[in-house]
Amino acid sequence: MLSENANDKCDLVMNHSPADRCAFVKNTSDCSMEDGFINYLDLAFCLLPPSLTPLTITLCMIWLVVLFLILGITASKFFCPNLSAISSTLHLTHNVAGVTFLALGNGAPDIFSAIAAISHPHTAGLAVGALFGAGIFVITVVAGSVALVKPFVVASRPFLRDVAFYMVAVFWTFVILFRGTMTLGETLGYLSFYVVYVLIVIISAFLYSRQKRARSMSIQNSTHVPDYNSSLESSDEDVPCLTSWTEQEYESEYRPLLPTAESTSQILLSSLNPVDNMKWRRKSWRWKVLKVVKTPLEVLLLLCIPVVDPDKEDKNWRRPLNCFHLITAPLVCLLVFQSGAYGNYMIQGQFPLWLLFLLLGLFLAAIVFCTTTNNCPPKYHLLFALLGFVVSALLISAAASEVVSLLHMLGVVLRLSNTVLGLTLLAWGNSIGDLFSDITIARQGYPRMAISACFGGIIFNMLFGVGLGSLVQMTKTSSDVQIEPEGLLTWILAGSLGLSLALSFVVIPLCQFRLTWVYGIFLIIFYVIFLIIALLTEFGKIHV
């Protein structure tokens, strides 16, 4: 006989017979998912028969890959460029933009996934596993791969600063996990700790640049010799420009001698083509296969999200497409906000809210289309960057909520803990882009930039992921956040992350800040050993 106890854990559903699982899911409060468009537990246990469970898992894994693609494309192609446009319009320095806007852009999938997971008690383990798992993946696999591709000398002061701050953040999170609760003061302390980190980055960069200018002036005044050795100093300022004058001159050779005016329909069609013909010809077949898979998603996102590029002469102004964005972007915001909670909302029970958004969008699109030209962006073009930022942020948040809900269902069906799903699937999905991008940057000859991205991003993800996620849960429950560690695996994860940080903090300075291929292999082996121990612990082979 089925016990209908609303306080049961949702993980117990697999202990019941297949015929009773649907009733258990519907009567157990721990199985209810407030966020997300699809109730994956209902899909697995109520809508589809138990005989199709392998097919259900296969389809869900494919859907999970699609969600990760949506997260990656939205963050890299839309969220980050609009953030860059906003930061350049505000005339922020590279250091301020790097630790604020760029950190938010690069870590958007991790941040929103952590917020979605930690804002619900039954998925908080996903957030812990994902943040710690992504942290150890980045500082071992990603950093080790960079060292294998391009051995180099680490910038000493930024490296020690970032590792020290991250060690404090990890230890603080470890204490909170040990206590099992997080207060409002600790939540605000998390966010304030990152503000302190940003201020130290800004102040240290300012002091270093002032010392560098003073040293350069003294050398020039005494010997009149240019300072060729300044690039050997270790600072955040040592970030090369990836676009050189020769590249710009090379691209200018392919510009037409006489300007050609495109029609409105031609501009619209070219704007919706995400494939660059020159890049397509020189890329490998693997890149082409992935591009074919991503192209339908990119076209759909291009129809919904405007992008402003301050580096282009026309700021990426596409008059017909941008006018269409005024119709689609507000509708997308309405439909994805809080998982479509306001999609069917009726004003005074009679007029649908989505129709009001549609009419307002049509009105604004008609005004912009009639008052602008195809060649010259309007003065208010920056507002499209703000609109693109809001739409892409809401899409990333919605996709992250779907990922968390889907992983929770997979954990229930496969009898896996949220922590192991977080440190594997969720951490890998959110970090695989960092791995490839940092390796590419290292191959181009900029390993310092790659290693700085490794440590700077995970500090932001840890502090803001836990801090904002806990703040969201506090606003819903008006009480302290309860974070229950899922047994020995959580302590192995936290201990492995702390050990890897401590080793890097000690070994790299002893090696005179040289990150060699030997240490890169050691970091990758460390991650493999950690993963084996974590999986053995999950399946009960290691226990206390």
Side-chain angles (χ1 to χ4, degrees), residues 70-71 74-76 79 105 108-109 112-113 391-401:
I70 293 174
L71 282 171
T74 307
S76 61
F79 193 73
F112 284 104
S113 298
V391 180
S392 55
L394 288 176
L395 277 175
I396 291 173
S397 178
S401 297

Side-chain angles (χ1 to χ4, degrees), residues 52-65 409-410:
L52 294 180
T53 298
L55 177 62
T56 303
I57 295 175
T58 303
L59 294 176
C60 287
M61 294 299 293
I62 295 174
W63 177 232
L64 183 65
V65 173
M409 183 275 286
L410 291 175

